[in-house]
Amino acid sequence: MTPSAPPAAPSRKPLIVAAAAALAVLLLAVGGYGVYDWFIREDTGVAACKAMREGKKADGSAKGSGDDKLTEAEYRQARRVFEDSRHDDIREHGTSLMDLAWQMSQIPNGQEMGALAFMGR
């Protein structure tokens, strides 16, 4: 009798191909999200500026026909919209604008001239 050959080692090729395919899918997903986030999706600060230009709230919803006083929830939501902007100047000036609007909305009726104290350069 002749000695039998040792059993063949299992091939690792399918495992390597599967790992490479998973890595490729992961890289495509991350790259696709990056392209979407930076080039396709509109920046939240820019969208808020456009909405305010059109007479809407910073989140894009229509203004109510009632009192224009800013509620704390509206203030926090509008400020968050500007805080999430990827543009430094919009983030800085938008949050400052929302802070000023909030401070001015807290002035009692009849004392509107006190708003001048909040105005800077």
Side-chain angles (χ1 to χ4, degrees):
M1 267 183 100
T2 61
S4 63
S11 175
R12 292 188 180 187
K13 186 176 180 179
L15 182 62
I16 293 172
V17 170
L23 182 62
V25 167
L26 179 65
L27 288 174
L28 281 173
V30 169
Y33 178 76
V35 167
Y36 167 76
D37 190 46
W38 280 94
F39 298 108
I40 297 173
R41 181 179 65 101
E42 186 173 39
D43 180 67
T44 58
V46 173
C49 290
K50 286 181 180 179
M52 291 170 66
R53 178 188 66 200
E54 295 169 0
K56 299 178 181 176
K57 292 182 181 180
D59 64 357
S61 63
K63 284 188 178 181
S65 60
D67 189 13
D68 284 339
K69 286 273 188 182
L70 190 64
T71 67
E72 185 175 356
E74 290 171 333
Y75 159 69
R76 290 186 185 280
Q77 181 181 12
R79 194 172 199 288
R80 195 173 313 117
V81 166
F82 284 109
E83 285 174 344
D84 291 342
S85 177
R86 65 178 168 257
H87 301 289
D88 292 335
D89 54 343
I90 292 177
R91 187 172 43 248
E92 177 185 344
H93 297 292
T95 55
S96 296
L97 174 67
M98 290 298 103
D99 292 343
L100 180 63
W102 173 249
Q103 291 168 347
M104 290 180 65
S105 72
Q106 300 305 304
I107 296 174
N109 288 336
Q111 297 181 9
E112 288 83 9
M113 291 305 287
L116 296 175
F118 296 120
M119 302 304 257
R121 292 192 278 150

